[in-house]
């Protein structure tokens, strides 16, 4: 099956199977901070907006195999993961996809670990299609709550290196307090992923629930640590990207490509139109006593148990 120029963007259940929606992206590069931004830009074109294609998930077995993933990026959120992917994406020959919805859509439906791993292999392969033919690396950044799926991810890709990025949970939660991520909203991302039910989660303060979520993410990352795992903290960025991540993922970079990656450092990762401004001190000062108490009870022990934290 030829779907050259088409990109799978999401999947939905229908009649007992998963239907994958494709949109025409052409050879557009995924240089925006998030996968969804590139897709949204493509939808500004009438053809892309009005004429999607659909396949079943099983039909992805007939699609020409894409690149094998060079590495997965997992993270606590608000901890420098976008900086990492933006630096890697500065090399045109690296296909870097940041939090594509399709991955979450194939992992969430119930099934055995083997079935979910099969779905994931198909989705990652379809997302990894070559756009220009010159690609020589493929990095996939997953949603923050994907750490709960690490057993399935490792089952599907046992030889693929992975990175887990962390940051002081008080600083992360201050950022989430200002602009909530989906995982901190129990009506958006199921609290069952973090060991809670919706009724209990709905009664908690934002600080308590957010700290529980951060602690659960860290515990899952630590519990699934293996020889393919690299743990880094926000304090080690950006230097660790060139010093550790590139080699860990087996990505060859020329001197000029390293210069291009370094040029990203001076810009805000989520909004490259702005200069980067360090915010560690400001976030520490903005942490309220209630937030610090919640973090110390529910998140900090798991964070401090991470390698290198």
């Amino acid at each position: 099956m030829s779907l050259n120029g088409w990109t799978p963007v999401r999947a939905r259940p229908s009649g007992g199977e998963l239907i994958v929606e494709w949109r025409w992206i052409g050879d557009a590069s995924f240089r925006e901070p998030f996968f969804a931004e590139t897709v949204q830009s493509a939808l500004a074109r009438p053809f892309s907006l009005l004429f999607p294609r659909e396949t079943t998930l099983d039909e992805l077995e007939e699609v020409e195999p894409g690149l094998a993933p060079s590495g997965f990026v997992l993270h606590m959120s608000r901890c420098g993961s976008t900086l990492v992917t933006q630096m890697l994406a500065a090399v045109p020959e690296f296909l870097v996809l940041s939090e594509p919805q399709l991955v979450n859509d194939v992992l969430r439906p119930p099934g055995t670990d083997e079935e979910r791993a099969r779905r994931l292999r198909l989705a990652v392969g379809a997302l990894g299609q070559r756009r220009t033919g010159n690609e020589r690396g493929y990095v996939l950044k997953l949603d923050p709550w994907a750490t709960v799926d690490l057993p399935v991810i490792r089952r599907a890709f046992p030889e693929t290196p992975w990175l887990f990025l962390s940051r002081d949970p008080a600083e992360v939660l201050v950022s989430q307090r200002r602009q909530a991520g989906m995982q901190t909203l129990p009506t958006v991302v199921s609290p069952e992923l973090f060991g809670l039910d919706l009724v209990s989660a709905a009664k908690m303060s934002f600080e308590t629930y957010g700290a529980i979520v951060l602690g659960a993410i860290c515990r899952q990352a630590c519990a699934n640590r293996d020889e393919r795992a690299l743990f880094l903290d926000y304090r080690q960025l950006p230097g660790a990207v060139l010093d550790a991540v590139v080699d860990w993922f087996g990505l060859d970079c020329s001197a000029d490509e390293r210069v291009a990656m370094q040029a990203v450092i001076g810009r805000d990762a989520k909004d490259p139109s702005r200069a980067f401004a360090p915010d560690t001190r400001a976030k520490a000062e903005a942490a309220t006593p209630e937030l610090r108490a919640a973090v110390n009870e529910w998140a900090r022990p798991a964070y401090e148990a991470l390698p290198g934290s």
Side-chain angles (χ1 to χ4, degrees):
M1 183 183 299
S2 175
L3 286 163
N4 292 336
W6 295 82
T7 295
V9 297
R10 59 178 60 88
R12 71 179 192 281
S14 178
E17 58 187 355
L18 285 173
I19 304 299
V20 179
E21 177 187 320
W22 300 69
R23 294 287 178 169
W24 175 259
I25 305 294
D27 59 359
S29 58
F30 287 82
R31 296 289 175 259
E32 288 84 359
F34 291 94
F35 178 88
E37 294 177 68
T38 304
V39 173
Q40 193 61 39
S41 295
L43 295 181
R45 295 176 291 191
F47 178 81
S48 297
L49 176 65
L50 298 174
F51 299 102
R53 293 182 68 175
E54 291 185 344
T55 65
T56 65
L57 183 72
D58 289 341
E59 285 178 317
L60 298 189
E61 295 180 353
E62 303 171 25
V63 174
E64 184 176 349
L67 296 159
S70 306
F72 295 109
V73 177
L74 295 103
H75 56 105
M76 283 175 66
S77 78
R78 315 295 167 85
C79 59
S81 60
T82 305
L83 172 63
V84 172
T85 53
Q86 284 292 92
M87 288 181 69
L88 296 176
V91 179
E93 286 77 24
F94 294 163
L95 174 63
V96 183
L97 306 182
S98 183
E99 301 180 11
Q101 183 178 327
L102 180 64
V103 171
N104 189 65
D105 289 346
V106 302
L107 285 172
R108 294 282 71 80
T112 65
D113 281 357
E114 182 52 43
E115 169 58 20
R116 294 171 68 219
R118 184 186 75 88
R119 292 182 210 149
L120 181 62
R121 283 191 291 267
L122 291 173
V124 171
L127 286 164
Q129 292 181 99
R130 294 181 181 273
R131 271 72 179 175
T132 66
N134 297 320
E135 293 87 351
R136 52 186 171 86
Y138 172 26
V139 174
L140 196 61
K141 184 178 114 173
L142 307 180
D143 291 303
W145 56 90
T147 55
V148 304
D149 299 305
L150 268 168
V152 173
I153 295 168
R154 302 309 298 145
R155 187 182 188 116
F157 297 97
E159 301 302 317
T160 303
W162 60 283
L163 164 68
F164 182 75
L165 285 162
S166 58
R167 185 175 184 176
D168 185 293
E171 296 170 20
V172 174
L173 198 54
V174 164
S175 178
Q176 298 286 359
R177 174 78 274 182
R178 292 171 178 167
Q179 184 176 4
M182 289 191 292
Q183 69 276 10
T184 64
L185 304 174
T187 56
V188 178
V189 174
S190 174
E192 293 180 0
L193 295 178
F194 312 112
L196 296 169
D197 61 82
L198 182 58
V199 174
S200 299
K203 295 177 181 178
M204 295 177 180
S205 68
F206 180 90
E207 288 78 6
T208 296
Y209 184 71
I212 290 174
V213 167
L214 293 178
I217 290 171
C218 290
R219 281 193 300 276
Q220 286 293 326
C222 200
N224 289 280
R225 182 186 182 192
D226 58 24
E227 69 281 359
R228 298 290 182 178
L230 174 65
F231 283 72
L232 293 174
D233 194 79
Y234 180 79
R235 295 168 297 178
Q236 297 169 272
L237 300 178
V241 178
L242 291 171
D243 294 341
V245 176
V246 167
D247 290 340
W248 192 255
F249 287 168
L251 301 171
D252 293 325
C253 295
S254 67
D256 287 344
E257 289 169 341
R258 287 175 175 266
V259 169
M261 293 171 68
Q262 288 175 321
V264 173
I265 295 170
R267 313 307 303 172
D268 185 284
K270 289 186 172 66
D271 183 3
S273 66
R274 298 189 307 166
F276 170 72
D279 61 0
T280 297
R281 182 175 178 178
K283 283 191 166 114
E285 293 174 348
T288 64
E290 180 187 7
L291 184 147
R292 288 195 176 279
V295 163
N296 289 339
E297 180 173 2
W298 298 106
R300 191 166 300 284
Y303 168 72
E304 292 181 348
L306 295 171
S309 66

